Amino acid sequence: MQDQNEYLYFLRRAFDGMLGVLEDLGDDLSNARPPLAGANSVYAITYHCAAVADYWTGHVIAGREVDRDRASEFTARGQGRQLRQQIDALFEQLEADLASVAPAARPLNTPPADFEGPDRPLSVQGVQLHVLEELAQHHGQIQITRDLLKQGGSA
């Protein structure tokens, strides 16, 4: 099977960037939402990204049972330190999930249509690209949210 270290390296970079913003802001600001319609807190976005990686890699690719409440991810609140611990544990699980998976293989599960993923069947590699796509997009969103919050804008 293909070595997944490079893929996990880029996932880790994205998460380390998000977690760095959480640490920079502290727990109060990390849980604040900027005053924009539909905006989410930095904590909620990071929490959502952990759920994305866990669900798409663990459940869709590897077939592991993952209990996910997508809607509640966007209202999640908590401490950055605890979320870092959860993400560290998630990486151990992701490494195990990907240990025996071939990139060209078909994932073991298909996500529900309302999870807003790609609108076509994907290989394992395609699912991994989707996870990277989500994390890159949300990492940028977190950086913009940080900038708004540091300018004094929160709801």
Side-chain angles (χ1 to χ4, degrees):
M1 295 301 137
Q2 180 180 356
D3 177 11
Q4 295 288 343
N5 286 334
E6 191 167 46
Y7 174 70
L8 292 169
Y9 166 80
F10 281 102
L11 285 187
R12 189 78 234 196
R13 279 175 46 103
F15 275 115
D16 284 347
M18 294 178 211
L19 292 165
V21 171
L22 281 168
E23 291 167 3
D24 180 42
L25 291 176
D27 289 335
D28 288 341
L29 271 182
S30 290
N31 284 286
R33 291 176 297 126
L36 303 168
N40 297 300
S41 72
V42 168
Y43 183 93
I45 299 165
T46 306
Y47 184 91
H48 166 68
C49 287
V52 164
D54 188 35
Y55 178 83
W56 285 86
T57 304
H59 180 70
V60 176
I61 290 176
R64 179 169 47 85
E65 193 62 37
V66 173
D67 184 26
R68 184 177 183 200
D69 179 358
R70 187 177 184 279
S72 72
E73 294 165 15
F74 299 101
T75 58
R77 298 179 57 80
Q79 297 179 327
R81 179 180 37 82
Q82 290 175 332
L83 189 53
R84 179 177 285 282
Q85 290 170 345
Q86 288 174 268
I87 289 170
D88 288 345
L90 173 62
F91 268 83
E92 290 180 26
Q93 181 63 59
L94 296 178
E95 189 172 343
D97 290 338
L98 295 171
S100 62
V101 176
R106 286 274 168 230
L108 295 179
N109 287 309
T110 303
D114 66 341
F115 272 25
E116 301 177 16
D119 61 357
R120 59 184 251 183
L122 298 173
S123 64
V124 164
Q125 188 173 35
V127 173
Q128 289 179 299
L129 289 170
H130 173 61
V131 172
L132 280 172
E133 168 190 46
E134 287 292 311
L135 268 56
Q137 167 184 279
H138 288 309
H139 185 197
Q141 179 185 9
I142 283 171
Q143 292 170 325
I144 292 168
T145 302
R146 174 204 55 213
D147 295 347
L148 288 169
L149 292 169
K150 282 190 159 196
Q151 294 298 317
S154 68

